[in-house]
Amino acid sequence: IERLDLPDSVASIGEGAFMNTGIKAVSLPSGLTEIAPSLFMNCSRLERIELPSTIITVGSRAFEACRTLSDIGFSENIILIEDYSFAYCSSLTAVALPGGTEEIGEYSFYNCVMLESVEFNDALKKIGGNAFGYCMGLKAVYLPSDMEELGAYAFYNCGALETIRLPDNIAAVNDYCFAHCSSLTGIKLPIGVKKIGANAFRYCASLKEIELPTTVEELGEEAFYRCGALTSVTLSDNIGNISPYCFAY
């Protein structure tokens, strides 16, 4: 199968229906509400996908390992992008998230090594663990101010990442969140953050300065381990726990 044109009479498509096929182009029915799990997984020749406006969920592993996929036309009504949905899509260079998306699941864009830019929407509330891990072309991230949760390893080993703007509402920078972001030179932590997780900024070799807001109470183990360029750290009077090897080199 190289081209797929599905009639609007199709109301649902089962899990993995076109997995491992040679599809290059597809036209999906206009009434479809979900991209089923693993639907196009490992369709290594699929270059572009336009999702109907009725889609509200992109299922887990739906487009995983679609290695030539370079263009995604998202439905503005998508609420949830599930785990591993676009993992290993190594030709993807830019993503503009639809306005209604509230959650990006774990490993959703994991190892999209060519991904350079992500436009985040204001409705987003949660980014799952490792969602953008190993996106080594990503240079700048501006997260919406009302986002509430940033998972562990969320931007792990994004080696080109230079700029990050964190949400105003997060309570923690979770474990390994920005570990091995070797180009990151500085970061402003919002007032309200209470905890810097274990290894959160581990091996951020270009990080020069960081100012911790007065709300920070705990620095996790090896939080700034091997941050060799770090010259200035401002701690607040409210910190009660600095864990082992926090600033060790």
Side-chain angles (χ1 to χ4, degrees):
I1 303 173
E2 287 195 357
R3 180 168 180 84
L4 188 64
D5 293 295
L6 296 172
D8 289 344
S9 59
V10 176
S12 66
I13 305 170
E15 180 174 344
F18 304 108
M19 179 179 171
N20 293 326
T21 61
I23 289 174
K24 288 184 177 180
V26 59
S27 176
L28 295 171
S30 61
L32 206 62
T33 59
E34 178 191 19
I35 302 297
S38 304
L39 184 59
F40 295 102
M41 182 180 176
N42 204 31
C43 288
S44 59
R45 300 174 73 191
L46 184 64
E47 297 176 355
R48 187 181 187 280
I49 188 74
E50 185 74 30
L51 301 181
S53 61
T54 48
I55 296 290
I56 57 174
T57 302
V58 179
S60 60
R61 303 184 187 272
F63 297 95
E64 183 181 356
C66 290
R67 299 188 187 277
T68 59
L69 183 65
S70 60
D71 187 14
I72 306 166
F74 281 111
S75 156
E76 280 299 308
N77 297 310
I78 291 174
I79 296 172
L80 173 62
I81 298 173
E82 292 188 345
D83 301 351
Y84 289 91
S85 292
F86 298 96
Y88 301 100
C89 289
S90 51
S91 295
L92 202 58
T93 59
V95 168
L97 293 171
T101 303
E102 297 177 4
E103 182 176 347
I104 299 172
E106 295 184 354
Y107 293 88
S108 331
F109 294 92
Y110 181 78
N111 219 308
C112 292
V113 294
M114 298 296 289
L115 188 63
E116 294 181 355
S117 68
V118 179
E119 185 179 330
F120 293 94
N121 61 307
D122 290 339
L124 189 64
K125 298 298 180 187
K126 179 181 179 181
I127 293 178
N130 246 317
F132 295 94
Y134 285 89
C135 289
M136 292 181 283
L138 198 59
K139 295 178 180 178
V141 169
Y142 301 97
L143 298 174
S145 59
D146 291 333
M147 205 181 86
E148 297 169 356
E149 185 177 344
L150 188 59
Y153 293 84
F155 293 93
Y156 180 82
N157 202 25
C158 292
L161 187 62
E162 299 173 352
T163 304
I164 177 76
R165 185 187 69 196
L166 292 174
D168 294 334
N169 293 335
I170 60 167
V173 178
N174 284 313
D175 298 355
Y176 289 91
C177 195
F178 298 102
H180 293 266
C181 290
S182 55
S183 299
L184 189 65
T185 57
I187 188 165
K188 182 179 180 181
L189 298 174
I191 293 174
V193 171
K194 294 183 178 180
K195 179 182 178 181
I196 308 297
N199 297 282
F201 295 96
R202 178 189 180 93
Y203 276 99
C204 287
S206 300
L207 190 64
K208 294 179 180 178
E209 59 180 346
I210 190 159
E211 183 175 344
L212 302 177
T214 55
T215 51
V216 173
E217 299 171 355
E218 180 180 352
L219 298 179
E221 188 168 339
E222 299 186 9
F224 297 94
Y225 182 77
R226 287 273 181 172
C227 292
L230 196 60
T231 58
S232 175
V233 180
T234 305
L235 302 178
S236 82
D237 294 335
N238 295 322
I239 289 182
N241 182 34
I242 297 177
S243 298
Y245 306 102
C246 187
F247 295 97
Y249 189 84

